[in-house]
Amino acid sequence: MSRRPGNVSPLRTLRILCLSGPNLQLLGTREPAVYGRETLADIHERLHGRAEELRVTIEARQTNHEGMLLDWIGESISVGRFDGLLINPGAYTHTSVAIYDAIKAVGLPCVEVHLSNPDAREAFRRHSYVAPACVGRIAGFGGTSYLLALEGIVAHVRNAPRSG
Ligand code: DQA
């Protein structure tokens, strides 16, 4: 019996969409003591390398606009036919019911990613609106959080019991 989700063919290469939100284009120079010196381009390059090793496809995008994140999540099951999501919503983590709703609406498994550990920072970062829509969360490992999240989502999608 297949253990894949109902709509993922065992023959098709898994497709993962990785989204980063506001101010993450500034990685490299943004508060390096908190976020490290790696740029988002560096992280995306590492992600593509790991995706190749895992034999999956990854598409990585960044935007400062909440609506753009909503559009990308909303079309992820049609236009890109993705199988899973990684999202670092940046500050929208702590404010956005709309991102929670979008992830719930498409029904794709999603991992929440953070470079820093929001729970060890200011009190306002301790609440995530996005977390309840996600299968898991990786935080606190700098750019490596993205790679760990990729490992997690790929294992999750590959092992998820068939729905229905
Ligand atoms: C962040 C943590 C958020 O609290 C913050 O607003 C960010 C980055 C992280 O990756 O550590 O912009 O998502």
Side-chain angles (χ1 to χ4, degrees):
M1 190 186 101
S2 166
R3 283 165 50 77
R4 288 175 178 280
N7 58 353
V8 180
S9 156
L11 301 175
R12 193 165 73 74
T13 304
L14 292 183
R15 290 174 54 76
I16 306 298
L17 179 61
C18 174
L19 302 179
S20 293
N23 298 315
L24 292 165
Q25 86 282 9
L26 298 174
L27 288 179
T29 55
R30 177 191 181 191
E31 297 186 82
V34 176
Y35 297 113
R37 289 260 172 222
E38 215 177 3
T39 66
L40 192 59
D42 294 334
I43 294 169
H44 286 175
E45 197 176 316
R46 286 211 283 151
L47 267 179
H48 280 105
R50 189 67 191 116
E52 214 172 294
E53 288 166 4
L54 292 169
R55 299 185 190 287
V56 300
T57 300
I58 189 155
E59 200 168 310
R61 307 175 189 163
Q62 186 275 334
T63 178
N64 288 325
H65 305 281
E66 186 176 15
M68 192 79 250
L69 289 169
L70 300 179
D71 287 348
W72 285 340
I73 295 166
E75 67 186 28
S76 62
I77 46 172
S78 51
V79 178
R81 292 186 60 232
F82 291 97
D83 304 298
L85 302 173
L86 306 181
I87 187 163
N88 181 348
Y92 292 140
T93 307
H94 318 297
T95 63
S96 182
V97 175
I99 292 176
Y100 165 86
D101 280 347
I103 297 167
K104 293 292 276 187
V106 296
L108 286 182
C110 181
V111 175
E112 181 183 339
V113 186
H114 298 284
L115 296 113
S116 67
N117 177 4
D119 289 337
R121 300 178 62 193
E122 301 95 326
F124 67 83
R125 295 186 203 278
R126 287 187 202 135
H127 182 260
S128 168
Y129 279 96
V130 175
C134 293
V135 295
R137 180 191 221 211
I138 309 272
F141 298 100
T144 300
S145 289
Y146 281 77
L147 276 89
L148 296 171
L150 176 63
E151 305 268 348
I153 195 75
V154 169
H156 177 86
V157 173
R158 285 188 171 147
N159 295 321
R162 184 182 284 271
S163 55

